[in-house]
Amino acid sequence: MATAPGFSDARRAAHAAATAALARGEGLAGATRAVVAATDAIFDQARIALDLDPMLARMACAAGCSWCCHQIVGVTMAELALLTETIAAMPPDRQARIKARAADAMATGRGMDQGQWWAARIRCPLLEDDGLCGVHAERPLPCRAFNSADADLCRRSYLGEKLRTPVLAAQHGIWANAQAGLIQALTEAGIAAGPVALAEGIEAMGATSPSGP
Ligand code: SF4
């Protein structure tokens, strides 16, 4: 029987992947891509070793469900670099819409803590009107950690009820530790790692507008 990787294995794998990518000159976005690939592999090991498929089949997360996309997402500078690259490749009008949404989000939410942001129901600037993530393939590591077995509880929480949603701890822990490994690799490389709030990072990034920030 396969041995299940622990959360510390996810952190170590992410650290090694990011360190190697930086050494290969792949930059911050490349380091994030390397961490995602390494963590996907770790999660796959955990899925098999812990027989997670029956639980994964019961998870409620699906395209178009976006209750969890109304919280502060803390991203490293490496994740922000990947988002910058991704957004810069979008058509100018789409870049402008994202930048406007980030400015709106920060106009309301600047200085708020997580609880205040959630209560204010401030949407992620990357959430599209159809409820889909506009950067799904390149979404930040915390977004890969988010999960829920009950979308209705997520909805009720979004609407203000104080309750906890049931999560798959393995998914949450592996991706959270992957970000910790990435932060460690960036720090060791002398790079200010963050995290920063995603909306604030996008608001500040010049690449979201063809004419700069
Ligand atoms: S980046 Fe995508 S998945 Fe993450 S909070 Fe924003 S819209 Fe949701």
Side-chain angles (χ1 to χ4, degrees):
M1 184 174 156
T3 305
F7 293 158
S8 57
D9 295 312
R11 181 171 43 74
R12 275 193 291 272
H15 171 259
T19 300
L22 291 172
R24 291 193 298 268
E26 294 174 8
L28 294 175
T32 303
R33 286 196 184 89
V35 167
V36 169
T39 311
D40 272 339
I42 287 279
F43 187 76
D44 212 41
Q45 286 175 34
R47 183 182 64 76
I48 294 166
L50 299 173
D51 190 23
L52 295 179
D53 282 344
M55 277 182 272
L56 287 167
R58 290 197 294 272
M59 299 312 287
C61 304
C65 184
S66 58
W67 306 115
C68 67
C69 298
H70 296 78
Q71 55 187 307
I72 297 173
V73 179
V75 296
T76 61
M77 298 314 288
E79 291 159 89
L80 193 57
L82 179 57
L83 292 175
T84 301
E85 192 179 287
T86 302
I87 293 168
M90 294 176 178
D93 59 332
R94 194 166 169 214
Q95 294 185 38
R97 278 199 301 277
I98 290 171
K99 185 167 186 179
R101 290 199 299 252
D104 285 349
M106 292 312 301
T108 304
R110 197 178 313 281
M112 285 185 177
D113 64 20
Q114 185 67 275
Q116 292 166 328
W117 185 284
W118 178 249
R121 298 174 195 155
I122 301 171
R123 62 186 272 174
C124 174
L126 297 172
L127 180 62
E128 298 295 347
D129 291 340
D130 56 7
L132 298 177
C133 174
V135 295
H136 182 74
E138 289 81 21
R139 67 197 183 284
L141 303 175
C143 305
R144 298 168 194 268
F146 298 157
N147 70 86
S148 170
D150 191 330
D152 193 54
L153 289 184
C154 297
R155 180 188 65 81
R156 288 167 52 193
S157 175
Y158 171 80
L159 292 176
E161 287 188 55
K162 300 278 183 233
L163 41 80
R164 297 178 78 88
T165 52
V167 303
L168 182 61
Q171 180 176 336
H172 187 272
I174 284 173
W175 286 101
N177 276 272
Q179 193 183 54
L182 175 57
I183 289 171
Q184 185 186 350
L186 295 172
T187 303
E188 287 172 3
I191 298 164
V196 298
L198 183 152
E200 191 169 12
I202 290 176
E203 182 192 38
M205 74 169 62
T208 52
S209 165
S211 57

